[in-house]
Each structure stands twice: as C-alpha cells, then as structure tokens.
Amino acid sequence: NKEMKAEIAKVQAERAKADSNKLLMAGSAKELVKGIEPEYLEIADEILTEAQKVFGDSVDRGILFPLADHISFAVARIRRNEQISNPLTEDIKVLFYSEFKVAETLKTILKKRLQIAIDDHEVGYVALHIHSAIGDEKVSVAMQTARAVRECIDMIEKATGKPIDVLSLSYNRLMNHMKYMVARASTGEKLNLDMNEYMLDQYPQAYEIAAEICKNLEGCIGHKLDETEIGYLAMHIQRIYKDAV
C-alpha cells in the first residue's frame, strides 16, 4: 500500500545518504541501483552535475539515491495523471532561486529521455533536494522555511486586505532575511543590534506578526530563535505592509 511504500522510500533515502558516496567510490553499482531503475540514477546524476556547475564542489553527491528515488516517484505520479499541487512553489522560486534554476533542467531531461512533461510544482520539490545537497539543511527544514514565509505573507495580506507582489523588492528581502534567520538559528549566531523595543513601540502590528511567525518557526525547525530576530523580522514585515497599504 501507499503508506508502506512511503516508509520503505524513507528508510532507503536515509540509508543512501550515508552510503551512496562510499558505494560510488567502490564501484558497487549493483548495490546502488537495487530497487530503482538505473535511468533515474542517470537523470539524478545529470541534475547534480548541473548543480556543481553553479555551486561547485560544495554539492553533496550523497543525495544521488534519494533524488533519483524522488524523480522516479514523480514520473510514476505523472504517468498515473496524479498531478501534485504545492502552494509553496512561488515562495520556493524566490527563497531558493539558484536551486530552482538548476532543478528546471529536469524539464528538458525528462522531455528528451521519457517524453514526460513536469510542472513547476514538481521542480520546486527537486529544488529543495538540491538545497539540501549544498548545505546541512534537510529538505524538511527548507520546506518549513518556505511554509513559514507563506504563513507570514498570508498574515500580512489578511491584515491589509491586499495581495502581496511577489516580484517586489520588499518581498525578496523578506525571503532572504527568513532564509538567513533559519541559518542563524541552526548555528547559534546572534544579531548585534536589538530593535525589538523600537519596532514594538512604532509598529506594534508588524511586531505582533513577527513574534507569532518566530514562535511557529521555532517549532518547525527545532531550534530556538534569538529574541532579537523578532525586531528585524518586524522591520521587513513593515516594509511589505507599507507597500501593500
């Protein structure tokens, strides 16, 4: 059943993360392709090669197996006409811009090799895998970051009664700020300037939204955010809020 397949895929992915580099170096191709068609490994390898052109040697090729596994499942879904929808796709495009551009090469590869057309929703998930390959951040954490950004935007839109322009400079700044905010939380780095009191006094609505977002984000990523993050996030929220009204 679907639950069992998903659990098996999860176990395989976790095991592959530790073993695939070693297996590749040892030339143990038979072990690596067990349970997955070699063609998907080749496709994943093409994607990682493209990633290395952009990000250099920082790309962890240890994600070869889980990436191939993901692509295999994606193709199977498409062949069954089970198109997925990802409400975070537009946020992922901005938050992980370079990763998304690399992931887009999958469109050309699948069209050429398998005559399969994939949409941006599928590309977005592949972009998260690529992001996990260039840092210590797991796919799940990257997804939670994108979800937190979407939640933040939804709260601002609700407060202003107007949609946010995802192409605006303020939106892009918010995206980048939240990405680095998550990175600081994982390393324990702290901001030098405390803007909390000023933002709370001058822009209480933006501060309230920022405080709620920080609280929710802590639960998502499993790391405690420094108190000073609230004020800085509130500043970016206020910029978007000002543009919207």
Side-chain angles (χ1 to χ4, degrees):
N1 56 38
K2 288 184 179 180
E3 289 78 10
M4 186 175 292
K5 286 182 179 179
E7 188 61 31
I8 291 172
K10 182 180 178 182
V11 172
Q12 287 176 327
E14 289 174 350
R15 185 176 60 197
K17 180 70 175 178
D19 294 345
S20 58
N21 269 345
K22 183 171 67 177
L23 289 171
L24 277 171
M25 292 175 67
S28 304
K30 289 181 180 179
E31 289 296 320
L32 191 61
V33 302
K34 191 179 292 181
I36 188 169
E37 293 180 40
E39 186 164 31
Y40 293 113
L41 287 165
E42 293 171 7
I43 291 171
D45 182 67
E46 282 190 58
I47 295 293
L48 291 178
T49 298
E50 286 299 316
Q52 284 182 312
K53 291 177 183 178
V54 176
F55 301 108
D57 294 334
S58 63
V59 176
D60 177 13
R61 296 192 71 90
I63 74 153
L64 177 71
F65 191 95
L67 179 57
D69 199 39
H70 176 86
I71 295 170
S72 173
F73 272 102
V75 170
R77 280 197 302 271
I78 293 167
R79 284 174 171 164
R80 294 194 301 267
N81 294 315
E82 296 177 1
Q83 297 286 348
I84 63 166
S85 178
N86 182 359
L88 305 175
T89 298
E90 292 304 314
D91 301 303
I92 291 170
K93 280 184 182 180
V94 178
L95 199 59
F96 308 114
Y97 176 82
S98 297
E99 293 91 327
F100 193 90
K101 284 297 181 184
V102 170
E104 278 189 314
T105 60
L106 182 61
K107 287 185 175 183
T108 305
I109 295 169
L110 288 183
K111 192 72 174 177
K112 182 179 178 181
R113 280 176 170 261
L114 304 174
Q115 292 73 56
I116 290 284
I118 63 167
D119 58 23
D120 282 355
H121 295 306
E122 294 285 4
V123 172
Y125 284 116
V126 173
L128 294 179
H129 279 275
I130 294 170
H131 178 70
S132 75
I134 58 175
D136 296 329
E137 193 171 279
K138 295 179 181 178
V139 172
S140 58
V141 174
M143 180 65 93
Q144 294 291 5
T145 303
R147 186 173 288 118
V149 172
R150 173 44 41 195
E151 183 180 322
C152 184
I153 295 300
D154 287 344
M155 291 173 73
I156 297 169
E157 288 181 335
K158 186 177 180 180
T160 61
K162 294 182 180 180
I164 300 300
D165 180 9
V166 296
L167 298 177
S168 70
L169 181 59
S170 296
Y171 175 83
N172 279 266
R173 281 174 172 167
L174 173 66
M175 284 291 202
N176 282 318
H177 177 78
M178 292 194 73
K179 180 165 66 174
Y180 291 116
M181 187 168 72
V182 170
R184 284 192 295 273
S186 62
T187 60
E189 181 186 347
K190 295 184 178 181
L191 293 165
N192 295 324
L193 184 62
D194 188 344
M195 296 181 62
N196 286 10
E197 188 175 338
Y198 174 78
M199 292 305 298
L200 178 59
D201 180 60
Q202 297 294 317
Y203 308 105
Q205 187 174 23
Y207 187 89
E208 185 179 339
I209 293 173
E212 187 172 345
I213 290 297
C214 286
K215 182 180 178 180
N216 292 344
L217 190 58
E218 283 180 343
C220 291
I221 65 176
H223 289 289
K224 181 75 174 174
L225 291 169
D226 190 71
E227 286 275 329
T228 55
E229 293 288 359
I230 299 174
Y232 272 88
L233 179 58
M235 179 183 69
H236 286 282
I237 291 171
Q238 179 58 30
R239 282 176 177 169
I240 291 183
Y241 185 80
K242 184 179 178 182
D243 290 345
V245 296

